[in-house]
Amino acid sequence: MGRKKVEMKRIENKSSRQVTFSKRRSGLIKKAREISVLCDLQVALLVFSPHGRLYDFSAGDSVTNILKRYRNQNDANDAESSNDGLTGVSPAALLQIIQSAGMLLKIQLIMYS
Amino acid sequence: MGRKKVEMKRIENKSSRQVTFSKRRSGLIKKAREISVLCDLQVALLVFSPHGRLYDFSAGDSVTNILKRYRNQNDANDAESSNDGLTGVSPAALLQIIQSAGMLLKIQLIMYS
DNA sequence: AGGGCTATATATAAGTT
DNA sequence: TAACTTATATATAGCCC
């Protein structure tokens, strides 16, 4: 879907890889949003970039808000509290939160590195 | 991306909605696979259809195998044991399994209804 | 409930600013 | 870096089996 057909293999150039990650992450989020709307499914999508940044989208209950509540309640030593309150949540913690809030989410998409 | 531009709202006709779900689920899986290869990330994608069917893709360790091992070990009353051993796994159980096997998965995509 | 087909809408790889 | 542009590759809606 671009000027050239791209080979399906790891992009060796680091900055090109980052650009592609960023573009395709957006596309994935959009697709998730669309399937959720068209097919009437709740979707939550969490994307951790290679650098630990968390992007999210959710239809229905906000995963972001769930995470924020969790962090506010359980994380006393919140040293690196960021603008969105999400950066630095470990995958393990995230899964635990989602599990405990499972009834809120009919469909989930979770992606992290 | 079709003969007509589709409105972003719930598809009311049930069978049309099912067809769209099926097609777009495939697309989402493909996109997940591609971003995992291009950006060198492990991806596991689990998709539960509205009827409980589980589809999955994973690069790196197989989530399917993890789930199979789990079911073999923990599920004595495996009444509806299916051909792939996955149908009927509850989202809650799934998340628990993934959490306990978290170190195996760098990136996860989980989607269920 | 899927599996092709084809026209069209969308996503995105490079190029540009 | 990070937008913006544009040519091209890809996804998919509607249709027919």
Side-chain angles (χ1 to χ4, degrees), chain B residues 42-98:
Chain B
Q42 282 194 311
V43 173
L45 170 60
L46 305 179
V47 182
F48 287 87
S49 76
H51 302 298
R53 180 97 182 77
L54 174 64
Y55 307 84
D56 90 315
F57 154 70
S58 76
D61 291 287
S62 164
V63 176
T64 299
N65 287 336
I66 294 165
L67 288 171
K68 281 181 179 169
R69 281 201 298 278
Y70 172 85
R71 284 175 69 81
N72 290 338
Q73 290 169 11
N74 298 21
D75 231 18
N77 59 342
D78 194 341
E80 86 287 66
S81 135
S82 64
N83 52 348
D84 61 9
L86 293 172
T87 305
V89 177
S90 76
L94 182 65
L95 288 168
Q96 185 175 23
I97 299 158
I98 288 167

Coordinates of all heavy atoms in Angstrom, one line a residue, chain B residues 42-98:
Chain B
Q42 N 7.0 -9.6 18.7 CA 6.2 -10.8 18.8 C 4.7 -10.4 18.9 O 4.4 -9.5 19.7 CB 6.6 -11.6 20.0 CG 7.8 -12.4 19.8 CD 8.0 -13.5 20.9 OE1 7.9 -13.1 22.1 NE2 8.3 -14.7 20.5
V43 N 3.9 -11.1 18.2 CA 2.5 -10.8 18.3 C 1.7 -12.1 18.5 O 2.0 -13.1 17.9 CB 1.9 -10.1 17.0 CG1 0.4 -10.0 17.1 CG2 2.6 -8.8 16.8
A44 N 0.8 -12.0 19.4 CA -0.2 -13.1 19.5 C -1.6 -12.5 19.4 O -1.9 -11.5 20.0 CB -0.1 -13.8 20.9
L45 N -2.4 -13.1 18.6 CA -3.7 -12.5 18.3 C -4.7 -13.6 18.6 O -4.7 -14.7 18.0 CB -3.8 -12.0 16.9 CG -5.2 -11.7 16.4 CD1 -5.8 -10.5 17.2 CD2 -5.1 -11.2 14.9
L46 N -5.7 -13.4 19.5 CA -6.7 -14.3 19.7 C -8.0 -13.6 19.4 O -8.3 -12.5 19.8 CB -6.8 -14.7 21.2 CG -5.5 -15.3 21.8 CD1 -5.6 -15.6 23.2 CD2 -5.0 -16.5 21.0
V47 N -8.8 -14.3 18.6 CA -10.1 -13.7 18.2 C -11.2 -14.7 18.6 O -11.2 -15.8 18.1 CB -10.2 -13.4 16.7 CG1 -11.5 -12.8 16.4 CG2 -9.0 -12.5 16.3
F48 N -12.1 -14.2 19.4 CA -13.3 -15.0 19.7 C -14.5 -14.5 18.9 O -14.7 -13.3 18.9 CB -13.7 -14.9 21.2 CG -12.8 -15.7 22.1 CD1 -11.7 -15.1 22.6 CD2 -13.1 -17.0 22.4 CE1 -10.8 -15.9 23.4 CE2 -12.3 -17.7 23.2 CZ -11.1 -17.2 23.8
S49 N -15.1 -15.3 18.1 CA -16.3 -14.8 17.4 C -17.4 -14.6 18.3 O -17.4 -15.0 19.5 CB -16.6 -15.8 16.3 OG -17.3 -16.9 17.0
P50 N -18.5 -14.0 17.8 CA -19.6 -13.8 18.7 C -20.2 -15.1 19.2 O -21.0 -15.1 20.2 CB -20.6 -13.1 17.8 CG -19.8 -12.3 16.8 CD -18.6 -13.2 16.6
H51 N -19.9 -16.2 18.5 CA -20.4 -17.5 19.0 C -19.4 -18.3 19.7 O -19.6 -19.5 19.9 CB -20.9 -18.2 17.7 CG -21.9 -17.5 17.0 ND1 -23.1 -17.1 17.5 CD2 -21.9 -17.0 15.7 CE1 -23.8 -16.5 16.6 NE2 -23.1 -16.3 15.5
G52 N -18.3 -17.6 20.1 CA -17.4 -18.3 21.0 C -16.2 -19.1 20.3 O -15.4 -19.7 21.0
R53 N -16.3 -19.0 19.0 CA -15.2 -19.7 18.3 C -13.9 -18.9 18.5 O -13.9 -17.6 18.5 CB -15.5 -19.7 16.8 CG -14.5 -20.4 15.9 CD -14.8 -21.8 15.7 NE -13.7 -22.5 14.8 CZ -12.6 -22.8 15.4 NH1 -12.3 -22.7 16.6 NH2 -11.7 -23.4 14.6
L54 N -12.8 -19.6 18.6 CA -11.5 -18.9 18.8 C -10.6 -19.1 17.6 O -10.4 -20.2 17.2 CB -10.8 -19.4 20.1 CG -9.4 -18.9 20.3 CD1 -9.4 -17.4 20.6 CD2 -8.8 -19.6 21.5
Y55 N -10.2 -17.9 17.1 CA -9.2 -18.0 16.0 C -7.9 -17.4 16.6 O -8.0 -16.5 17.5 CB -9.6 -17.1 14.9 CG -11.0 -17.4 14.4 CD1 -12.1 -16.9 15.0 CD2 -11.2 -18.3 13.3 CE1 -13.4 -17.2 14.6 CE2 -12.5 -18.6 12.9 CZ -13.6 -18.0 13.5 OH -14.8 -18.3 13.1
D56 N -6.8 -17.9 16.2 CA -5.6 -17.2 16.7 C -4.4 -17.3 15.8 O -4.3 -18.1 14.9 CB -5.2 -17.9 18.1 CG -4.2 -19.0 17.9 OD1 -4.5 -19.8 17.0 OD2 -3.2 -19.0 18.6
F57 N -3.6 -16.3 16.0 CA -2.3 -16.3 15.3 C -1.3 -15.8 16.3 O -1.5 -15.0 17.2 CB -2.4 -15.2 14.2 CG -1.0 -14.7 13.8 CD1 -0.1 -15.5 13.2 CD2 -0.7 -13.4 14.2 CE1 1.2 -15.0 12.9 CE2 0.6 -12.9 13.9 CZ 1.5 -13.7 13.3
S58 N -0.1 -16.4 16.2 CA 0.9 -15.9 17.1 C 2.3 -16.0 16.4 O 2.5 -17.0 15.7 CB 1.0 -16.5 18.4 OG 1.6 -17.8 18.4
A59 N 3.1 -15.0 16.5 CA 4.5 -15.1 16.1 C 5.3 -15.3 17.3 O 5.0 -14.7 18.3 CB 4.9 -13.8 15.4
G60 N 6.2 -16.2 17.2 CA 7.0 -16.5 18.5 C 6.2 -17.7 19.1 O 5.8 -18.6 18.4
D61 N 6.2 -17.7 20.4 CA 5.5 -18.8 21.1 C 4.1 -18.9 20.8 O 3.4 -17.9 20.6 CB 5.7 -18.7 22.6 CG 7.2 -18.9 23.0 OD1 7.6 -20.0 22.9 OD2 7.8 -17.9 23.3
S62 N 3.6 -20.1 20.6 CA 2.2 -20.3 20.3 C 1.3 -20.2 21.4 O 1.4 -21.0 22.4 CB 2.1 -21.7 19.6 OG 0.8 -22.1 19.6
V63 N 0.4 -19.3 21.3 CA -0.6 -19.2 22.4 C -1.5 -20.4 22.4 O -1.9 -20.9 23.4 CB -1.5 -17.9 22.2 CG1 -2.6 -17.8 23.2 CG2 -0.6 -16.7 22.2
T64 N -1.8 -20.9 21.2 CA -2.6 -22.1 21.1 C -2.0 -23.2 21.9 O -2.7 -23.9 22.7 CB -2.7 -22.5 19.6 OG1 -3.3 -21.5 18.9 CG2 -3.5 -23.8 19.5
N65 N -0.7 -23.4 21.8 CA -0.1 -24.5 22.6 C -0.1 -24.2 24.1 O -0.3 -25.1 24.9 CB 1.4 -24.6 22.1 CG 1.4 -25.3 20.8 OD1 0.5 -26.0 20.3 ND2 2.5 -25.1 20.0
I66 N 0.0 -23.0 24.4 CA 0.0 -22.6 25.8 C -1.4 -23.0 26.4 O -1.6 -23.6 27.4 CB 0.2 -21.1 26.1 CG1 1.7 -20.8 25.7 CG2 -0.1 -20.7 27.5 CD1 1.9 -19.3 25.5
L67 N -2.4 -22.6 25.6 CA -3.8 -22.9 26.0 C -4.1 -24.4 26.1 O -4.7 -24.9 27.0 CB -4.8 -22.2 25.1 CG -4.9 -20.7 25.2 CD1 -5.7 -20.1 24.0 CD2 -5.5 -20.3 26.5
K68 N -3.5 -25.1 25.1 CA -3.7 -26.5 25.1 C -3.1 -27.2 26.4 O -3.7 -28.0 27.0 CB -3.1 -27.1 23.9 CG -4.0 -27.0 22.6 CD -3.3 -27.6 21.4 CE -4.2 -27.5 20.2 NZ -3.6 -27.9 18.9
R69 N -1.9 -26.8 26.7 CA -1.2 -27.3 27.8 C -2.1 -27.0 29.1 O -2.3 -27.9 29.9 CB 0.2 -26.7 28.0 CG 1.2 -27.3 27.1 CD 2.6 -27.1 27.6 NE 2.9 -25.7 27.7 CZ 3.4 -24.9 26.7 NH1 3.5 -25.5 25.5 NH2 3.7 -23.7 26.8
Y70 N -2.6 -25.8 29.2 CA -3.4 -25.4 30.3 C -4.6 -26.3 30.4 O -4.9 -26.8 31.5 CB -3.8 -23.9 30.2 CG -4.8 -23.5 31.2 CD1 -4.3 -23.0 32.4 CD2 -6.1 -23.5 31.0 CE1 -5.2 -22.6 33.4 CE2 -7.0 -23.1 31.9 CZ -6.6 -22.6 33.1 OH -7.5 -22.2 34.1
R71 N -5.3 -26.4 29.3 CA -6.5 -27.2 29.4 C -6.2 -28.7 29.7 O -7.0 -29.3 30.5 CB -7.2 -27.2 28.0 CG -7.9 -25.8 27.8 CD -8.5 -25.7 26.4 NE -9.6 -26.6 26.2 CZ -10.9 -26.3 26.6 NH1 -11.1 -25.2 27.2 NH2 -11.8 -27.2 26.4
N72 N -5.2 -29.2 29.2 CA -4.8 -30.6 29.5 C -4.5 -30.7 31.0 O -4.9 -31.7 31.6 CB -3.6 -31.0 28.7 CG -3.9 -31.2 27.2 OD1 -5.1 -31.4 26.9 ND2 -2.9 -31.1 26.4
Q73 N -3.9 -29.8 31.6 CA -3.5 -29.9 33.0 C -4.6 -29.5 34.0 O -4.8 -30.1 35.0 CB -2.3 -28.9 33.3 CG -1.0 -29.4 32.6 CD 0.1 -28.4 32.7 OE1 -0.1 -27.4 33.4 NE2 1.1 -28.6 31.9
N74 N -5.4 -28.5 33.6 CA -6.4 -28.0 34.6 C -7.8 -28.3 34.4 O -8.6 -28.1 35.2 CB -6.3 -26.5 34.7 CG -4.9 -26.0 35.1 OD1 -3.9 -26.8 35.0 ND2 -4.8 -24.8 35.6
D75 N -8.1 -28.8 33.2 CA -9.5 -29.0 32.9 C -9.9 -30.5 32.8 O -9.8 -31.2 31.8 CB -9.8 -28.4 31.5 CG -11.1 -27.5 31.6 OD1 -11.4 -27.1 32.8 OD2 -11.6 -27.2 30.6
A76 N -10.3 -31.0 34.0 CA -10.6 -32.5 34.0 C -12.0 -32.7 33.3 O -12.1 -33.6 32.5 CB -10.8 -32.9 35.5
N77 N -12.9 -31.8 33.5 CA -14.2 -31.9 32.9 C -14.3 -31.3 31.6 O -15.1 -30.4 31.3 CB -15.3 -31.4 33.8 CG -15.0 -29.9 34.1 OD1 -13.9 -29.4 33.9 ND2 -16.1 -29.2 34.5
D78 N -13.4 -31.8 30.7 CA -13.3 -31.2 29.3 C -14.4 -31.8 28.4 O -14.1 -32.6 27.5 CB -11.9 -31.5 28.8 CG -11.6 -30.6 27.6 OD1 -12.6 -30.1 27.0 OD2 -10.5 -30.4 27.2
A79 N -15.6 -31.5 28.6 CA -16.7 -32.1 27.9 C -16.7 -31.8 26.4 O -16.8 -32.6 25.6 CB -18.0 -31.6 28.5
E80 N -16.6 -30.5 26.2 CA -16.7 -30.0 24.8 C -15.4 -29.9 24.1 O -15.2 -29.1 23.2 CB -17.5 -28.7 24.7 CG -16.7 -27.5 24.9 CD -16.3 -27.2 26.3 OE1 -15.4 -28.0 26.8 OE2 -16.7 -26.2 26.9
S81 N -14.4 -30.7 24.5 CA -13.1 -30.7 23.8 C -13.2 -30.8 22.3 O -13.8 -31.7 21.7 CB -12.3 -32.0 24.3 OG -11.7 -32.6 23.3
S82 N -12.7 -29.7 21.7 CA -12.9 -29.6 20.2 C -11.7 -30.0 19.5 O -10.7 -30.4 20.0 CB -13.3 -28.1 19.9 OG -12.2 -27.3 20.2
N83 N -11.8 -29.9 18.2 CA -10.6 -30.3 17.3 C -9.4 -29.6 17.6 O -8.3 -30.1 17.7 CB -11.0 -30.2 15.9 CG -11.5 -28.8 15.5 OD1 -11.8 -28.0 16.4 ND2 -11.7 -28.5 14.3
D84 N -9.5 -28.3 17.9 CA -8.3 -27.5 18.2 C -8.0 -27.3 19.7 O -7.1 -26.7 20.1 CB -8.3 -26.2 17.4 CG -9.5 -25.3 17.9 OD1 -10.2 -25.7 18.8 OD2 -9.7 -24.3 17.2
G85 N -9.0 -27.8 20.5 CA -8.8 -27.7 21.9 C -9.0 -26.4 22.5 O -8.6 -26.1 23.6
L86 N -9.5 -25.4 21.7 CA -9.6 -24.1 22.2 C -11.0 -23.6 22.4 O -11.3 -22.7 23.3 CB -8.9 -23.1 21.2 CG -7.4 -23.4 21.2 CD1 -6.8 -22.6 20.0 CD2 -6.7 -23.0 22.5
T87 N -11.9 -24.1 21.6 CA -13.3 -23.6 21.7 C -13.8 -23.7 23.2 O -13.6 -24.7 23.8 CB -14.2 -24.4 20.8 OG1 -13.7 -24.3 19.5 CG2 -15.6 -23.8 20.8
G88 N -14.4 -22.7 23.6 CA -15.0 -22.8 25.0 C -14.1 -22.3 26.1 O -14.5 -22.2 27.2
V89 N -12.9 -21.9 25.8 CA -12.1 -21.2 26.8 C -12.7 -19.9 27.1 O -12.9 -19.1 26.2 CB -10.6 -21.1 26.3 CG1 -9.8 -20.3 27.3 CG2 -10.0 -22.4 26.0
S90 N -13.0 -19.6 28.3 CA -13.6 -18.3 28.7 C -12.5 -17.3 28.7 O -11.3 -17.5 28.9 CB -14.2 -18.4 30.1 OG -13.1 -18.4 31.1
P91 N -13.0 -16.0 28.4 CA -12.0 -14.9 28.4 C -11.3 -14.8 29.7 O -10.0 -14.6 29.7 CB -13.0 -13.7 28.2 CG -14.1 -14.3 27.4 CD -14.3 -15.7 27.9
A92 N -12.0 -15.0 30.8 CA -11.3 -14.9 32.1 C -10.2 -15.9 32.2 O -9.1 -15.6 32.6 CB -12.3 -15.1 33.2
A93 N -10.5 -17.2 31.8 CA -9.5 -18.2 31.9 C -8.3 -17.9 31.0 O -7.1 -18.1 31.3 CB -10.1 -19.6 31.5
L94 N -8.7 -17.4 29.8 CA -7.6 -17.0 28.8 C -6.7 -16.0 29.4 O -5.4 -16.1 29.3 CB -8.3 -16.5 27.6 CG -7.4 -16.1 26.5 CD1 -6.7 -17.3 25.9 CD2 -8.2 -15.4 25.4
L95 N -7.2 -15.0 30.0 CA -6.4 -13.9 30.5 C -5.5 -14.4 31.6 O -4.3 -14.1 31.7 CB -7.3 -12.7 31.0 CG -7.9 -11.9 29.9 CD1 -9.0 -11.0 30.4 CD2 -6.8 -11.1 29.1
Q96 N -6.1 -15.3 32.4 CA -5.3 -15.9 33.5 C -4.1 -16.7 32.9 O -3.0 -16.6 33.4 CB -6.2 -16.9 34.3 CG -5.4 -17.4 35.5 CD -6.4 -18.3 36.4 OE1 -7.4 -18.8 35.9 NE2 -6.1 -18.4 37.7
I97 N -4.4 -17.5 31.9 CA -3.3 -18.2 31.3 C -2.2 -17.3 30.7 O -1.0 -17.5 30.9 CB -3.9 -19.1 30.1 CG1 -4.9 -20.1 30.6 CG2 -2.8 -19.8 29.4 CD1 -5.9 -20.5 29.6
I98 N -2.7 -16.3 30.0 CA -1.7 -15.4 29.4 C -0.9 -14.7 30.4 O 0.3 -14.5 30.3 CB -2.5 -14.4 28.5 CG1 -3.0 -15.1 27.2 CG2 -1.6 -13.2 28.1 CD1 -4.0 -14.4 26.4

